[in-house]
Each structure stands twice: as C-alpha cells, then as structure tokens.
Amino acid sequence: MEYMTEEKDVGDGIGKILCCQCGTLIEPNPSNMCVACLRTQVDITEGIPKQATLHFCKGCERYLQPPSEWVSCALESRELLTLCLKKLKGLNRVKLVDAGFVWTEPHSKRIKVKLTVHGEVLGGAILQQVFVVEYTVSHQMCEDCHRSEAQDYWRALVQIRQKAENKKTFYYLEQLILKHKAHEHTLGIKPIHEGLDFFYSTEAYARKMIDFLTSVLPCRYQHSKKLISHDIHSNLYNYKFTYSVEIVPVSKDSVVCLPQKLTRQLGGISSLCLIYRVTNSVHLIDPATAQIAEVNSTTFWRYPFDSICNPKQLTEYVVMDIEMIMDKDRKTFPGQGAISNKHVVADVWVVKSSELGMTENVIHTRTHLGHILKPGDSALGYALGDSNINDPNFEKLDASKVPDVILVKKYYGDRSARRRLRNWKLKHLAEENTNLNTGTNDYQEFLDDLEEDPTYRQNVNIFRDKSKEQTAVDVDDLGDETIPRITLDEMLDDLNLEDVEMEEAG
C-alpha cells in the first residue's frame, strides 16, 4: 500500500517542475517561478506613476487637458476617466485590461482610479497586476476665467457710435446680436452715451464682429493699434487693437433732405424724403409720390446728408378729409425710380389736435399713408412750415414746393394702453448695468415700430410674455381694433431656463 501511494504521488507530478525560489510544484513556465515568487521579483507597473495631479478651474468647472485645452468632465464620468489615463506616461508599456474609479469623498480633492494591466515578463510569461493611482485635484484658473476676472485684460475693442438723437438703431442692433449670437466671444459690453463698446480677447473675434456689423447696418469703421510690449530676441509684438465703427447719423421716422447729385442717382426722387426703415441700408420714401429708394453705406458717405426733423419733434394731427389720387393722375417722367406698392398716395386735410375746432387752421398736404388713414384718425407728422431748419441742402430748395406738413405714421392712441395689451417681450444682452436703458420713450417707440412693421421685425426674436397672458384685460382698453398686434404664430416660447448672461469685463 505504501508503494502504491508513493507511485501515485510520482504520477501526479509528471510534467511539473519545482519553483526555483520556494520549491513549490508548478506548471513549467519560462521563468521557472510560481506566481507568488514572480510578483516579488518583477513589477510590471514599475514605470507607471502611482500619483498624479489634475488641474481644475473653479470658475467654469473644467479640467486642463494638456497642453492648453480645457474640457468639462463630470465626476466618475467616461470623459474624466479618459483624461486620467492620458496623464499616465508609462501606460503604453503594458496592456490595459480594466479601469474604474474607486469611491472617494467628493470634497477630498482626491480621485482614485483602479487599473488592471497585463505584461510580458522573463521571456514570455504573462503577468496580471492590479494597482491604484491617486490623483490630486489642484486649482488653476483657465485663460477664459482669467480674462473675465482681469478688468483690463483685452486685446481688441470694437467701439460702435451713432451721432443721432434717439437710440432706436441700437435697440435694433441689440436684437440682431441676440438673434445671430454675435456676442458669443465677447469678454464684456459697456454702454456709452453715444453707443456700445465690445471687448475681445483676440483681433480675429473683433474682425468677425466688424463683418457682422457691416452686413446688418449701414456703417463705416476705422482701425488702429497700440504697441503694448515687444520682445527683441524673438521679434514678437504685443498690440491692442481698436475698431471705431460709425453708424449713419439718421434713424427711422426722420425726414432728410438729399443732395441734388444723390437725387439724380436715385431715379429723380424728391429731395425731401422720409426714412421708413433702416436695415443694412437706409430705406427712403417720397411722401408726395410714394417713390422709394435705398442708400447703402458707400453711397451715404459719398453723398452725406443729415436729418432735418427727428421723432422728438413729431406733432399729432387729426385727419379731417382724405382723397385718394388715382394712378392716371400721378406725375411720371422717364427714368423715374421704383414706386411702392404697399403705400397709397392721397390728398389729406389735417388740423393739429391742439387746434381742433378751428376750421381756419386746416392744412392740406399729400401723404403716402392713404391706405391706413381715414377721416377722424390721428396721425403724427412734422410741421415744416413752423420749423427752424438749418441745413445747406434744404436752403437750396424752392420754398413754394416745400409742404407745410409731412405725415409720418398713424397714431393709435394712448401708448400706455398699448403697453398693457402687449403680451410679448424681448430679450436683452444683460440685465445689470451693462444693458441699454429700456425705460425711455425711444425704447417704447421701437416696440411700436415692431408691431406696425412686419418686415422690420423679421430679424427680431419675439417671445411670449406669460405674465401678461394671466392678467385680465379691460374691454375699454381694447380701443381701436385696427391697432397692429403681433400674432402668437410670430412669438417664440420663453423657456424656463436660466439665461446665460455675459460677465462684465474690462
């Protein structure tokens, strides 16, 4: 029995060898060592660091991905795990089998990653090893947050100015910027009494803003740069760039007097014209003939003209009688420019609302508003006969051909009632001291213009005001049903999300 047992033990050891270190019976392998002894002799993770540092920006909550990219990663996310593995330099010497996070307290500023790797050792033996790498989260401010924190850290400035008496052009520009998201790379915006200042980190972003402005408004610009520092060894120059943009000094609903050379280029239009819209060009209309023309920025600066009457001088008139002018009765001539199809020329007799009841003060004029005016309506216009106009182009006109009154638009009554009925609103660039003042009459007139002109509001995002929808409206406030209103189809739903507003920077 003892022999048989001894023979059985010998049979079990056939094909096996003894470990050269501890003498344990093992399967043959190139190292002739058991797994326990092999781990004591060889470490396949020797070249892989067990500690590393991650740079984290508290301002924008992003991690630094070398060399200079900042990425957003949530805790224990796949993106953060990828970033951690890229920090390990010697990981390419072994084969990564598995990786995962080891839970740590969120405020400990420590991130632990458990790795499982395979490696070939001592002539072909494959060894698997598990180890933990501990990452220390170090705070470092990214360049974007640094620019926003530093009050004077900017490299390019765009100054927008307009020498006009009202700010309706800037309210329109603000809506265009929001619609096209032209302020995405802006470090900060500061309102100035004559315009706005936009600050940028690079000149390329400023150039992009200039291209946007020249495409949406008639304007011109000048460029200058100031040397900040110079490295004579590497021949590097550090400049601050400034772009000064000047918008044409005329606005919507103003009356202008054109130079004679310009009137001939515009198809023989009258010198006295009304600006009924300002987009990427100045849209003019002759109130007496409904002839229209457009003046782009190049033509304007070649033949400049100024406003002789501004919206602050508008006077309310009451329409006593109106008579349409047939097409056959209109005066035409060869080479005449385009005639508006949306307006109707009419003879109208008006009287100032303050002088209503005095029949001897009835004034006759010709207007392009024949399609919306009827006897008894109120209209806003300019009293040219009672105005003191100092303009060189106006002085050259024949006084007998200058009308006493130029009607601009229909007056729909009390603006406060229209404001209560307004169930829509506009977004703004920022809400603190970086936005334009929206409590002025210019802003309310701008909202009225959006309601009255569908073409004008095509480039504006209009949002539903749910707070106005919940309030009851008095029947007496409805007033004239012909008051233009913006339909719900034209409004966008205001999402209940926090609006990302720009930080104020220098």
Side-chain angles (χ1 to χ4, degrees), residues 14 35 45 49 172 205 213 249 271 287 296 327 340 348 394 434-435 495:
I14 295 177
V35 175
T45 65
Y172 180 64
Y205 291 146
L213 292 174
S271 296
N296 56 23
D327 292 340
S340 175
V348 62
F394 184 78
T434 58
N435 67 330
L495 299 179

Side-chain angles (χ1 to χ4, degrees), residues 469-481:
E469 294 177 359
Q470 296 175 356
T471 59
V473 179
D474 192 359
V475 179
D476 296 336
D477 290 341
L478 295 177
D480 189 2
E481 295 183 356

